[in-house]
Structure formats: structure tokens, C-alpha cells
Amino acid sequence: MRGVTRYSTVAIWLHWTIAALIIGQIAGGKIMTELTATTLKFDIYQWHKALGLTILALSLARLIWRLTHRPPRLDIPQNPWERRLAGLSHGAFYVFMIGVPLLGWAMVSASQVGLATSWFGLFTVPDLPLSDSVQTAKLLARIHAVTAYATAALLVLHIAAAIKHHRDGHPILSRMSLRQRPA
């Protein structure tokens, strides 16, 4: 493991796929809440729910992968607070990647609207076993939105840290690069 400087191909693809989906979800979530009630809004909500469940499944797979595969050693100079902050932010990402979709699913499950969640038209996803409650659905909607914004803020911090390390001359970006570079 000592000579390994890159994440595994599986870890890299999960990272970038989930990242792209999360960015799309944040943008789509903002757009869909601003639309008036139309067929387009309904379709975007269905896609949002299906993509959220996809993020949930991929994030659980990523967590299992991470727990069973050691990441490459990071050999760059860091202050102890930077190392601790990096660990906390990565942990927070897992909480948000799993928690935000679960909150959305719970919100839909508690809603009295009763619209089924279709996973890209292939099958219907059952609701979580929650009683229909306007108050619960509204509370879950607020928490879902706040945690989505927190995810966006954490994403900005993550990108800024990666750019900072790159500008400092550390090969941090190559660890998660989609392109394999020759040694």
C-alpha cells in the first residue's frame, strides 16, 4: 500500500458520479421549487426523487467500499487542524450523501399528497413507514433544504481545499483524477 498514490478506480468513479449527481440535484432542487405547477414541475420532481435515491444507493456502496478498502496515504505537509478538518469534512460528506436523500424520502413518505415515487419509470419505490402528517412533512422539507444547502457549502469548501493544495504544489488532484497519468 505504501506506493499507492491514487484512489482505486471504483472509488474514483463513485466519487465523480456522486459529485455530479449532487451538483445536479442542488441546481435542480432550486429550479423545481421556483416553477409553477405544471407537468414539467411534476417530471422534475420525479427525476429529483429518483436521482436522490440513486445518490443514496451509490453513497451506501461508496461507504461500504471505503470501509473495506484503505485510501492511499496522503503524504503532504499539513497542520494538525487541517488534517482534523479534512477528516471531519469527509465524515460530514457521508452523513449528507446518505442523510439528505433519506430526509427527502421521509418527507415524501410523510406527505399527504400521496404521489408515488417512480425510479425512472422502471418501478415504484415504496414510502417509508411514516404516518401522513402535514407538520412532519413540512419539518422534513425544511431539514432537507437546510442539509442540501449545507452540502453545497461543504462542497465549496472541499473544492477550495483541493485547489489550495494543488496551488501549493501538492499532487492532491491526481489522487482522484479520472485520467490515469503515467508515473
Side-chain angles (χ1 to χ4, degrees):
M1 181 55 84
R2 191 144 174 71
V4 176
T5 58
R6 289 174 46 84
Y7 280 86
S8 69
T9 302
V10 171
I12 291 168
W13 280 99
L14 284 170
H15 174 274
W16 289 110
T17 301
I18 294 168
L21 289 172
I22 288 172
I23 291 167
Q25 285 291 81
I26 291 168
K30 185 67 179 154
I31 291 167
M32 74 185 194
T33 58
E34 303 294 327
L35 292 174
T36 57
T38 62
T39 304
L40 175 63
K41 183 172 184 163
F42 174 81
D43 290 343
I44 292 173
Y45 265 89
Q46 285 295 350
W47 273 86
H48 186 79
K49 293 189 292 183
L51 289 170
L53 291 168
T54 303
I55 290 170
L56 176 61
L58 291 174
S59 296
L60 290 170
R62 182 174 178 187
L63 178 60
I64 291 166
W65 186 265
R66 172 61 183 84
L67 292 173
T68 58
H69 296 79
R70 291 187 79 136
R73 186 177 158 112
L74 181 58
D75 287 326
I76 64 170
Q78 280 185 305
N79 293 316
W81 68 267
E82 286 178 305
R83 195 171 296 281
R84 181 74 177 135
L85 186 59
L88 289 172
S89 67
H90 283 100
F93 264 124
Y94 282 101
V95 169
F96 290 143
M97 290 184 315
I98 294 167
V100 173
L102 280 175
L103 285 164
W105 190 6
M107 173 187 62
V108 168
S109 299
S111 172
Q112 293 183 316
V113 176
L115 290 174
T117 298
S118 170
W119 195 75
F120 302 111
L122 298 175
F123 58 87
T124 299
V125 178
D127 285 342
L128 296 172
L130 299 172
S131 60
D132 295 347
S133 165
V134 173
Q135 292 81 12
T136 302
K138 283 183 179 181
L139 176 63
L140 290 168
R142 274 191 232 113
I143 297 170
H144 179 71
V146 167
T147 54
Y149 283 119
T151 303
L154 186 60
L155 183 63
V156 170
L157 177 67
H158 183 69
I159 293 167
I163 291 169
K164 179 239 184 248
H165 286 297
H166 180 72
R167 291 182 66 139
D168 289 347
H170 305 138
I172 195 120
L173 296 179
S174 64
R175 293 163 43 93
M176 257 311 162
S177 174
L178 290 170
R179 280 191 310 142
Q180 176 71 45
R181 292 204 173 102

